[in-house]
mmCIF file of all heavy atoms in Angstrom:
data_model
loop_
_atom_site.group_PDB
_atom_site.id
_atom_site.type_symbol
_atom_site.label_atom_id
_atom_site.label_comp_id
_atom_site.label_asym_id
_atom_site.label_seq_id
_atom_site.Cartn_x
_atom_site.Cartn_y
_atom_site.Cartn_z
ATOM 1 N N LYS A 67 -4.986 2.409 23.914
ATOM 2 C CA LYS A 67 -4.066 3.292 24.620
ATOM 3 C C LYS A 67 -3.456 4.231 23.585
ATOM 4 O O LYS A 67 -3.102 3.794 22.485
ATOM 5 C CB LYS A 67 -2.947 2.473 25.247
ATOM 6 C CG LYS A 67 -3.331 1.768 26.517
ATOM 7 C CD LYS A 67 -2.037 1.291 27.125
ATOM 8 C CE LYS A 67 -2.226 0.535 28.394
ATOM 9 N NZ LYS A 67 -0.903 0.011 28.838
ATOM 10 N N ASN A 69 -0.613 5.265 23.118
ATOM 11 C CA ASN A 69 0.721 4.926 22.602
ATOM 12 C C ASN A 69 0.727 3.652 21.747
ATOM 13 O O ASN A 69 1.778 3.080 21.497
ATOM 14 C CB ASN A 69 1.736 4.816 23.749
ATOM 15 C CG ASN A 69 1.426 3.673 24.703
ATOM 16 O OD1 ASN A 69 0.381 3.023 24.578
ATOM 17 N ND2 ASN A 69 2.323 3.413 25.641
ATOM 18 N N SER A 92 12.482 1.392 11.572
ATOM 19 C CA SER A 92 11.670 2.024 10.512
ATOM 20 C C SER A 92 12.322 1.941 9.146
ATOM 21 O O SER A 92 12.093 2.795 8.300
ATOM 22 C CB SER A 92 11.386 3.504 10.830
ATOM 23 O OG SER A 92 11.155 3.681 12.184
ATOM 24 N N ASP A 104 -1.924 6.598 0.563
ATOM 25 C CA ASP A 104 -0.463 6.581 0.508
ATOM 26 C C ASP A 104 0.073 5.315 1.157
ATOM 27 O O ASP A 104 -0.501 4.826 2.127
ATOM 28 C CB ASP A 104 0.131 7.760 1.301
ATOM 29 C CG ASP A 104 -0.149 9.089 0.635
ATOM 30 O OD1 ASP A 104 0.022 9.180 -0.593
ATOM 31 O OD2 ASP A 104 -0.525 10.035 1.359
ATOM 32 N N ALA A 105 1.194 4.805 0.642
ATOM 33 C CA ALA A 105 1.880 3.724 1.345
ATOM 34 C C ALA A 105 2.636 4.333 2.521
ATOM 35 O O ALA A 105 3.311 5.349 2.370
ATOM 36 C CB ALA A 105 2.847 3.012 0.406
ATOM 37 N N LYS A 107 4.649 3.372 6.602
ATOM 38 C CA LYS A 107 5.188 2.339 7.483
ATOM 39 C C LYS A 107 4.355 2.319 8.763
ATOM 40 O O LYS A 107 4.447 3.241 9.582
ATOM 41 C CB LYS A 107 6.659 2.636 7.784
ATOM 42 C CG LYS A 107 7.516 2.539 6.527
ATOM 43 C CD LYS A 107 8.972 2.857 6.784
ATOM 44 C CE LYS A 107 9.775 2.609 5.507
ATOM 45 N NZ LYS A 107 11.188 3.010 5.628
ATOM 46 N N CYS A 109 4.576 0.774 11.408
ATOM 47 C CA CYS A 109 5.299 0.668 12.676
ATOM 48 C C CYS A 109 5.761 2.026 13.173
ATOM 49 O O CYS A 109 6.289 2.142 14.267
ATOM 50 C CB CYS A 109 6.521 -0.237 12.524
ATOM 51 S SG CYS A 109 7.850 0.545 11.586
ATOM 52 N N SER A 158 3.798 -1.610 -0.973
ATOM 53 C CA SER A 158 4.633 -0.496 -1.409
ATOM 54 C C SER A 158 4.622 -0.405 -2.942
ATOM 55 O O SER A 158 4.434 0.679 -3.517
ATOM 56 C CB SER A 158 6.049 -0.728 -0.867
ATOM 57 O OG SER A 158 6.953 0.200 -1.375
ATOM 58 N N GLU A 179 13.582 1.312 -2.401
ATOM 59 C CA GLU A 179 14.684 1.523 -1.449
ATOM 60 C C GLU A 179 14.250 1.304 -0.005
ATOM 61 O O GLU A 179 15.039 0.910 0.832
ATOM 62 C CB GLU A 179 15.218 2.956 -1.595
ATOM 63 C CG GLU A 179 16.293 3.070 -2.646
ATOM 64 C CD GLU A 179 16.669 4.509 -2.961
ATOM 65 O OE1 GLU A 179 15.942 5.431 -2.539
ATOM 66 O OE2 GLU A 179 17.694 4.697 -3.625
ATOM 67 N N ASN A 181 12.169 -0.917 1.106
ATOM 68 C CA ASN A 181 11.700 -2.290 1.374
ATOM 69 C C ASN A 181 12.881 -3.233 1.256
ATOM 70 O O ASN A 181 13.478 -3.368 0.190
ATOM 71 C CB ASN A 181 10.619 -2.693 0.366
ATOM 72 C CG ASN A 181 9.352 -1.891 0.540
ATOM 73 O OD1 ASN A 181 9.204 -0.820 -0.033
ATOM 74 N ND2 ASN A 181 8.446 -2.392 1.358
ATOM 75 N N TYR B 69 6.841 4.454 26.307
ATOM 76 C CA TYR B 69 6.200 4.784 27.577
ATOM 77 C C TYR B 69 4.774 5.268 27.325
ATOM 78 O O TYR B 69 4.429 5.667 26.221
ATOM 79 C CB TYR B 69 6.988 5.884 28.300
ATOM 80 C CG TYR B 69 8.379 5.468 28.716
ATOM 81 C CD1 TYR B 69 9.497 5.964 28.050
ATOM 82 C CD2 TYR B 69 8.561 4.584 29.771
ATOM 83 C CE1 TYR B 69 10.782 5.578 28.423
ATOM 84 C CE2 TYR B 69 9.846 4.196 30.154
ATOM 85 C CZ TYR B 69 10.943 4.696 29.475
ATOM 86 O OH TYR B 69 12.201 4.312 29.840
ATOM 87 N N GLU B 70 3.978 5.243 28.376
ATOM 88 C CA GLU B 70 2.596 5.744 28.275
ATOM 89 C C GLU B 70 2.615 7.223 27.914
ATOM 90 O O GLU B 70 3.513 7.968 28.334
ATOM 91 C CB GLU B 70 1.908 5.609 29.636
ATOM 92 C CG GLU B 70 1.864 4.192 30.167
ATOM 93 C CD GLU B 70 0.537 3.523 29.862
ATOM 94 O OE1 GLU B 70 -0.490 4.209 29.909
ATOM 95 O OE2 GLU B 70 0.560 2.311 29.556
ATOM 96 N N PRO B 103 9.809 6.489 16.057
ATOM 97 C CA PRO B 103 10.916 5.542 16.307
ATOM 98 C C PRO B 103 11.709 5.858 17.584
ATOM 99 O O PRO B 103 12.123 4.947 18.301
ATOM 100 C CB PRO B 103 11.795 5.682 15.059
ATOM 101 C CG PRO B 103 10.854 6.150 13.989
ATOM 102 C CD PRO B 103 9.844 7.021 14.689
ATOM 103 N N LYS B 106 9.591 4.785 20.495
ATOM 104 C CA LYS B 106 9.568 3.311 20.541
ATOM 105 C C LYS B 106 10.826 2.762 21.202
ATOM 106 O O LYS B 106 10.772 1.828 21.988
ATOM 107 C CB LYS B 106 9.525 2.748 19.110
ATOM 108 C CG LYS B 106 8.153 2.435 18.607
ATOM 109 C CD LYS B 106 8.180 2.191 17.107
ATOM 110 C CE LYS B 106 8.875 0.891 16.718
ATOM 111 N NZ LYS B 106 8.817 0.688 15.239
ATOM 112 N N ARG B 140 4.467 17.805 3.517
ATOM 113 C CA ARG B 140 5.215 16.549 3.484
ATOM 114 C C ARG B 140 6.272 16.577 2.375
ATOM 115 O O ARG B 140 6.119 17.269 1.381
ATOM 116 C CB ARG B 140 4.255 15.384 3.262
ATOM 117 C CG ARG B 140 3.167 15.287 4.336
ATOM 118 C CD ARG B 140 2.161 14.199 3.989
ATOM 119 N NE ARG B 140 1.580 14.427 2.654
ATOM 120 C CZ ARG B 140 0.903 13.501 1.975
ATOM 121 N NH1 ARG B 140 0.730 12.295 2.492
ATOM 122 N NH2 ARG B 140 0.405 13.765 0.785
ATOM 123 N N ASP B 166 12.616 7.049 1.713
ATOM 124 C CA ASP B 166 11.947 6.310 0.655
ATOM 125 C C ASP B 166 10.532 6.848 0.522
ATOM 126 O O ASP B 166 10.122 7.716 1.299
ATOM 127 C CB ASP B 166 11.916 4.816 1.009
ATOM 128 C CG ASP B 166 11.296 4.595 2.376
ATOM 129 O OD1 ASP B 166 10.067 4.803 2.523
ATOM 130 O OD2 ASP B 166 12.021 4.228 3.327
ATOM 131 N N HIS B 167 9.752 6.339 -0.434
ATOM 132 C CA HIS B 167 8.453 6.978 -0.700
ATOM 133 C C HIS B 167 7.503 6.869 0.487
ATOM 134 O O HIS B 167 6.628 7.714 0.650
ATOM 135 C CB HIS B 167 7.825 6.434 -1.997
ATOM 136 C CG HIS B 167 7.274 5.038 -1.933
ATOM 137 N ND1 HIS B 167 5.936 4.768 -2.047
ATOM 138 C CD2 HIS B 167 7.875 3.850 -1.765
ATOM 139 C CE1 HIS B 167 5.735 3.458 -1.977
ATOM 140 N NE2 HIS B 167 6.905 2.880 -1.803
ATOM 141 N N SER B 171 5.875 10.191 2.412
ATOM 142 C CA SER B 171 4.445 10.489 2.506
ATOM 143 C C SER B 171 4.030 10.776 3.947
ATOM 144 O O SER B 171 2.853 11.010 4.217
ATOM 145 C CB SER B 171 3.597 9.384 1.871
ATOM 146 O OG SER B 171 3.816 8.164 2.495
ATOM 147 N N ARG B 248 19.458 5.898 3.955
ATOM 148 C CA ARG B 248 19.216 6.943 2.936
ATOM 149 C C ARG B 248 19.532 8.349 3.430
ATOM 150 O O ARG B 248 19.469 9.297 2.655
ATOM 151 C CB ARG B 248 17.796 6.938 2.339
ATOM 152 C CG ARG B 248 17.131 5.637 2.106
ATOM 153 C CD ARG B 248 17.921 4.639 1.333
ATOM 154 N NE ARG B 248 18.429 5.128 0.060
ATOM 155 C CZ ARG B 248 19.295 4.453 -0.692
ATOM 156 N NH1 ARG B 248 19.756 3.291 -0.298
ATOM 157 N NH2 ARG B 248 19.696 4.943 -1.826
#
Side-chain angles (χ1 to χ4, degrees):
Chain A
K67 282 193 181 175
N69 65 354
S92 322
D104 291 315
K107 295 179 175 175
C109 73
S158 172
E179 272 171 348
N181 293 88
Chain B
Y69 295 107
E70 301 263 323
K106 265 167 70 178
R140 302 174 304 165
D166 54 69
H167 73 113
S171 60
R248 323 309 307 171

